[in-house]
Amino acid sequence: MTYLPKSIPVSVVKASEAYYKRYGKFKPITVGEILLEKIFPLMEDAKLISQHEKEGYIRNWTKLLEENGSLRIFKNRELQTVSVDYFDEEILNSAKRISQEKMYKKSDGFLPTARLVGEVIGHQKQTNKDFLIEWRVRCLIHKGLLSYHGSLSNKRLYSIKPLID
């Protein structure tokens, strides 16, 4: 949009809402969850945006480019740049809580990394990819805040345990 002439109209489709209205059953969180053949009919729900809205999108995009951040989240109804360690506290708190569950106490508090990653993702209001959370788990291991056993080659091949209470 930034490079489009002002005279070119722009339309937006709220894909999740349009999908649910048209097909029912579930409301996808991202467009990536929608089959390609079901995306094109959603274009019928496209709404022309005003010049003011278009300028707002352009301002937001320009701001994000200037921030040049590595991680962005959707917060307060807008995209915001945050530090890469944004999820670390939640990861550590979840690891502590889960490691106290009866079934993990039997294994000295070690829990499957995939369980931790799923738990953190499941409590988010937004969609995060598992590789992002697992990457942060590995960073916490390297910082000495989590212990592990197994092979770090795949999240299903190692278990973790918080080192601090």
Side-chain angles (χ1 to χ4, degrees), residues 117-135:
V117 170
E119 183 84 12
V120 172
I121 290 172
H123 284 95
Q124 296 298 310
K125 292 180 181 175
Q126 61 194 347
T127 303
N128 290 317
K129 299 297 183 188
D130 60 346
F131 61 81
L132 167 66
I133 302 301
E134 189 199 357
W135 169 64

Side-chain angles (χ1 to χ4, degrees), residues 29-139:
I29 296 171
T30 67
V31 175
E33 295 178 37
I34 302 173
L35 294 172
L36 188 58
E37 59 268 14
K38 291 191 174 190
I39 289 177
F40 292 111
L42 301 181
M43 299 307 280
E44 292 174 15
D45 290 344
K47 304 255 187 298
L48 194 62
I49 63 172
S50 69
Q51 186 62 34
H52 179 71
E53 289 172 300
K54 183 178 174 184
E55 290 167 2
Y57 282 120
I58 292 169
R59 275 193 306 278
N60 195 18
W61 177 248
T62 303
K63 178 183 145 226
L64 292 171
L65 286 176
E66 289 170 354
E67 291 173 349
N68 195 28
S70 298
L71 180 61
R72 296 187 176 99
I73 62 163
F74 199 67
K75 186 176 182 181
N76 299 328
R77 305 193 81 197
E78 68 177 38
L79 204 54
Q80 295 181 5
T81 302
V82 295
S83 65
V84 293
D85 62 356
Y86 181 83
F87 294 106
D88 289 6
E89 186 177 336
E90 184 173 353
I91 292 168
L92 289 170
N93 288 337
S94 294
K96 288 177 204 170
R97 184 176 39 75
I98 298 167
S99 70
Q100 294 304 308
E101 291 177 5
K102 188 176 180 180
M103 67 188 298
Y104 299 119
K105 279 191 168 189
K106 292 177 185 175
S107 61
D108 295 330
F110 279 92
L111 59 128
T113 304
R115 162 77 198 280
L116 174 63
V117 170
E119 183 84 12
V120 172
I121 290 172
H123 284 95
Q124 296 298 310
K125 292 180 181 175
Q126 61 194 347
T127 303
N128 290 317
K129 299 297 183 188
D130 60 346
F131 61 81
L132 167 66
I133 302 301
E134 189 199 357
W135 169 64
R136 292 311 305 165
V137 166
R138 290 176 192 219
C139 290

Side-chain angles (χ1 to χ4, degrees), residues 12-38:
V12 173
V13 175
K14 294 183 179 182
S16 292
E17 292 171 19
Y19 184 92
Y20 186 75
K21 186 173 111 183
R22 181 174 293 266
Y23 302 110
K25 295 182 183 170
F26 84 105
K27 195 173 190 178
I29 296 171
T30 67
V31 175
E33 295 178 37
I34 302 173
L35 294 172
L36 188 58
E37 59 268 14
K38 291 191 174 190

